[in-house]
Amino acid sequence: MISTQILQNTVMGLKNITKCDISVIEREGKVVASTEEDMIGRQIEDLESFIASPAEGQSLAGYNYFKVFDNNISEYVVAAKGEDVESYRVGQLAAFNIQTLLIAYKERYDKDNFIKNLLLDNLLLVDIYSRAKKMHIENNVRRIVYLIEPRDTVTDNENSLPEIVREIFPKRNKDFVTAVDESSIILVKELTTNEPDEALTCAQSIYELLKEAASGSCYVAMGTVVNDLKFVSSSYKEAKMALEVGKIFESEKSIINYNKLGIGRLIYQLPMTLCKMFVEEVLQGITVDQFDEETLITVNKFFENNLNVSETSRQIYIHRNTLVYRLDKLQKMTGLDLRNFDDAIVFKITLMVCQYMGYKDKDEYMF
């Protein structure tokens, strides 16, 4: 079905050209779009016999009526006000326009359905290639999947995010916009060059355009580039993992690249039982929430500066000896000297594992 807004815009545009009032009626008899405001929502009872008849057009009660078909079934009825030759022509023109819109929407739905099933691995290999050929979708081209999700801040335009993305990428045969859940939008994008940074550049463009158009920030997670339709689902799974891992370990980032997840991707795939065993082994009964915020800030800044005591103390505006005192205090609690590279790695991984566990079980491990 065509959206009522599209139908309304169509009949208003036709009226501006023809100066004739036009209405679009569903097959149940309800007026869904009209240039006459008092007609919208009205139930037209006299159309039942016309819809059931084999006639494609009819003049009745001051209007010319024309059927709009979908698979030989009347999907809509177009009414042009007047019973003269001019209104008859306007009615035919309007019916033709609605018919064209219906075909275009149906074609988009078929492609959207194909892409959804492709992403979810619901198609046999032979079906992928045969259906793609029928819909004129090329197989051996470079594609990447982007997963787009609004951040926690809800904006007035959030519900129109799919349409905003479609407006940015209008080439239906090359780029596909769809959704498999209520929270995120999927863009299957064809890459046109072999530049190594093309996928990242495109992600940055998507983010900037959406930030401006939707008046709010969003996540743009990207999978890897694939060269065959059958691997598009893999790129989608990678983008999905990138979004989840990014929310846990790099929530401040807006563009999340699957290839740049680092150790976070490894931790994300660990079973919870193994994570708990590791944390208990390292911390020996201590929990992360026993470390004060000042200590954790100091440690994270120490890691950011590659274990450089002088640079870290300068950046957080404390004396070098104060930083050494904090590191010594942490060593007494955990047995780990963060000035030692191996101990620093163990503690960094421990923090990330706890962060992952906190994401999975916020009540017990949140910090």
Side-chain angles (χ1 to χ4, degrees):
M1 295 287 286
I2 308 171
S3 70
T4 54
Q5 186 61 51
I6 295 294
L7 291 172
Q8 185 65 31
N9 290 341
T10 301
V11 296
M12 291 301 295
L14 288 170
K15 182 181 179 179
N16 289 336
I17 297 171
T18 64
K19 310 304 178 185
C20 178
D21 282 310
I22 305 165
S23 299
V24 181
I25 309 160
E26 291 180 333
R27 58 172 170 240
E28 293 81 10
K30 181 182 177 181
V31 179
V32 293
S34 178
T35 56
E36 301 176 86
E37 289 187 12
D38 60 337
M39 288 288 289
I40 298 176
R42 183 181 296 183
Q43 194 72 26
I44 310 297
E45 304 293 345
D46 299 335
L47 287 181
E48 292 181 7
S49 58
F50 169 57
I51 292 174
S53 73
E56 295 185 11
Q58 177 179 317
S59 296
L60 179 67
Y63 288 87
N64 278 304
Y65 294 93
F66 298 90
K67 294 178 184 176
V68 177
F69 294 97
D70 180 23
N71 288 334
N72 298 318
I73 298 174
S74 299
E75 188 69 33
Y76 296 105
V77 173
V78 172
K81 191 172 185 179
E83 295 186 14
D84 56 4
V85 174
E86 185 60 29
S87 67
Y88 185 87
R89 288 176 179 171
V90 171
Q92 282 186 315
L93 176 65
F96 176 78
N97 271 270
I98 303 299
Q99 183 77 62
T100 304
L101 278 174
L102 193 61
I103 293 170
Y105 262 67
K106 188 175 179 181
E107 181 182 350
R108 192 177 89 177
Y109 173 79
D110 287 343
K111 287 185 178 180
D112 186 67
N113 199 34
F114 169 71
I115 293 297
K116 281 181 180 178
N117 285 309
L118 180 66
L119 293 168
L120 296 174
D121 277 332
N122 290 338
L123 297 172
L124 296 173
L125 191 60
V126 64
D127 291 333
I128 292 175
Y129 298 133
S130 61
R131 290 181 62 180
K133 186 176 181 180
K134 288 179 182 178
M135 288 182 280
H136 307 289
I137 299 174
E138 291 185 63
N139 174 39
N140 296 314
V141 297
R142 298 172 70 247
R143 290 186 175 91
I144 186 171
V145 174
Y146 296 100
L147 195 57
I148 304 161
E149 183 176 298
R151 287 183 178 267
D152 294 337
T153 303
V154 179
T155 66
D156 294 336
N157 292 325
E158 184 176 355
N159 292 331
S160 63
L161 189 60
E163 292 305 320
I164 294 173
V165 179
R166 286 191 177 100
E167 287 176 7
I168 296 172
F169 299 96
K171 297 180 180 179
R172 306 295 183 200
N173 289 334
K174 294 184 178 293
D175 303 323
F176 304 96
V177 179
T178 187
V180 295
D181 57 46
E182 296 179 355
S183 62
S184 54
I185 306 302
I186 302 166
L187 169 64
V188 182
K189 180 80 176 70
E190 179 179 322
L191 302 178
T192 55
T193 72
N194 289 317
E195 295 295 327
D197 295 332
E198 183 184 4
L200 180 59
T201 302
C202 183
Q204 291 167 340
S205 298
I206 294 168
Y207 173 75
E208 293 298 332
L209 288 168
L210 286 178
K211 185 178 180 180
E212 181 178 352
S215 302
S217 186
C218 62
Y219 292 107
V220 179
M222 50 192 289
T224 57
V225 179
V226 297
N227 296 297
D228 194 299
L229 275 173
K230 67 182 179 182
F231 297 128
V232 166
S233 62
S234 298
S235 185
Y236 166 62
K237 291 171 186 174
E238 292 163 352
K240 193 173 181 181
M241 179 184 286
L243 183 61
E244 285 294 311
V245 175
K247 285 180 180 179
I248 299 171
F249 301 114
E250 297 179 319
S251 58
E252 74 284 353
K253 288 188 176 181
S254 296
I255 299 172
I256 309 162
N257 189 343
Y258 176 80
N259 285 331
K260 301 294 183 181
L261 294 178
I263 198 170
R265 189 168 81 195
L266 176 63
I267 294 172
Y268 180 78
Q269 297 178 82
L270 294 175
M272 289 296 288
T273 52
L274 188 59
C275 290
K276 291 177 182 178
M277 288 174 57
F278 176 77
V279 172
E280 289 171 1
E281 179 183 318
V282 173
L283 298 182
Q284 301 177 14
I286 300 173
T287 58
V288 173
D289 55 12
Q290 290 181 249
F291 300 118
D292 56 71
E293 185 178 356
E294 184 181 71
T295 299
L296 290 173
I297 291 173
T298 301
V299 168
N300 286 324
K301 186 59 69 174
F302 189 53
F303 289 147
E304 286 178 19
N305 288 290
N306 299 316
L307 313 185
N308 188 311
V309 174
S310 300
E311 183 62 23
T312 303
S313 59
R314 187 187 68 81
Q315 288 190 17
I316 59 177
Y317 305 106
I318 62 173
H319 194 276
R320 188 178 189 279
N321 291 342
T322 304
L323 176 58
V324 171
Y325 169 77
R326 291 179 185 176
L327 294 176
D328 287 341
K329 180 182 175 182
L330 187 66
Q331 184 178 1
K332 289 179 181 179
M333 293 179 68
T334 64
L336 299 172
D337 183 0
L338 300 194
R339 288 157 292 194
N340 178 283
F341 181 73
D342 289 343
D343 285 356
I345 289 177
V346 171
F347 193 70
K348 174 65 174 177
I349 293 174
T350 302
L351 289 179
M352 292 183 70
V353 169
C354 289
Q355 199 170 354
Y356 168 63
M357 293 166 68
Y359 183 82
K360 293 293 185 180
D361 187 0
K362 291 181 171 53
D363 291 335
E364 186 175 357
Y365 294 101
M366 191 68 172
F367 70 95

